[in-house]
């Protein structure tokens, strides 16, 4: 199922990315993807928001009404699954992880945030994941009109960190 990666000591790496939609109470979780260090999807689900969706935010979320039709998974189901998947030894990798963790309403102590790791000296604003991937990995992501793909974004965050570790070796 999951392989350990060695970075100083045995550890478990996971990359996480979420998508949100606008509801009557603001942004709510609508999709979660978690990959392992080999970029294999280990958890992925659409999530039924607690309140009525008023804007699927498709340009950014990649989610349409069809994706959520018949979905019964709740945020509580996602929390339970992630708590089983993540241990205190898990290093969670992602881009602007504070948004993802806030969306799933979880706290995790050990994170590597590519939005922070790839900040240049003196830079105040975070560089978009799309820009970092183009610059360092020479790949184009998030390039169609269907919006973001949480799987592509989770994998891209992991690939960025793996690229950086190889460069620094």
């Amino acid at each position: 199922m999951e392989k350990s990666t060695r970075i100083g000591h045995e550890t478990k790496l996971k990359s996480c990315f979420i998508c949100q939609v606008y509801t009557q109470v603001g942004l709510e979780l609508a999709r979660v993807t978690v990959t392992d260090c080999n970029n294999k999807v280990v958890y992925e689900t659409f999530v039924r928001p607690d309140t009525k969706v008023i804007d699927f935010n498709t340009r950014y979320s990649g989610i349409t009404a069809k994706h959520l039709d018949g979905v019964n998974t709740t945020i509580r189901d996602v929390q339970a699954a992630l708590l089983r998947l993540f241990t205190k030894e898990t290093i969670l990798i992602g881009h602007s992880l504070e948004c993802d963790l806030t969306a799933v309403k979880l706290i995790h102590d050990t994170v590597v945030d590519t939005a922070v790791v790839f900040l240049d000296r003196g830079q105040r604003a975070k560089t978009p994941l799309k820009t970092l991937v183009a610059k360092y990995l020479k790949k184009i992501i998030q390039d169609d009109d269907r919006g973001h793909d949480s799987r592509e974004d989770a994998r891209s965050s992991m690939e960025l960190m793996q690229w950086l570790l190889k460069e620094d070796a």
Side-chain angles (χ1 to χ4, degrees):
M1 174 147 73
E2 116 189 359
K3 291 185 178 178
S4 292
T5 300
R6 191 162 180 82
I7 301 179
H9 62 287
E10 286 300 307
T11 187
K12 295 177 182 177
L13 297 174
K14 301 273 191 296
S15 183
C16 181
F17 198 86
I18 60 94
C19 293
Q20 296 176 295
V21 294
Y22 287 101
T23 69
Q24 293 173 326
V25 297
L27 284 171
E28 285 192 60
L29 185 66
R31 184 178 181 188
V32 178
T33 303
V34 179
T35 62
D36 66 13
C37 63
N38 298 307
N39 272 334
K40 177 184 166 203
V41 174
V42 294
Y43 181 75
E44 184 167 53
T45 190
F46 286 98
V47 184
R48 185 187 75 234
D50 288 334
T51 59
K52 183 181 177 190
V53 176
I54 56 174
D55 181 355
F56 286 94
N57 197 27
T58 304
R59 178 177 172 218
Y60 296 104
S61 71
I63 297 172
T64 65
K66 187 176 180 180
H67 289 112
L68 297 183
D69 189 36
V71 170
N72 293 314
T73 305
T74 67
I75 189 171
R76 284 155 294 291
D77 298 327
V78 171
Q79 290 167 332
L82 294 181
L83 289 171
R84 284 190 303 274
L85 191 59
F86 301 157
T87 67
K88 64 181 181 177
E89 289 84 23
T90 302
I91 298 173
L92 194 55
I93 296 173
H95 193 79
S96 294
L97 273 171
E98 75 281 0
C99 297
D100 296 350
L101 292 171
T102 298
V104 295
K105 300 178 182 174
L106 290 177
I107 296 172
H108 190 71
D109 291 334
T110 312
V111 299
V112 176
D113 192 328
T114 55
V116 175
V117 171
F118 285 87
L119 269 179
D120 290 330
R121 268 203 179 117
Q123 181 181 349
R124 292 179 185 209
K126 296 176 182 177
T127 304
L129 181 61
K130 178 179 184 171
T131 303
L132 293 174
V133 169
K135 179 177 180 179
Y136 296 108
L137 302 180
K138 311 296 186 227
K139 288 182 10 180
I140 296 171
I141 64 168
Q142 304 170 353
D143 195 40
D144 65 39
D145 58 356
R146 292 177 295 170
H148 289 218
D149 178 342
S150 60
R151 188 180 302 171
E152 177 181 61
D153 291 350
R155 287 176 170 157
S156 295
S157 294
M158 181 66 75
E159 289 171 8
L160 274 171
M161 288 313 303
Q162 290 169 332
W163 174 86
L164 184 63
L165 291 171
K166 288 176 186 171
E167 286 295 305
D168 286 351

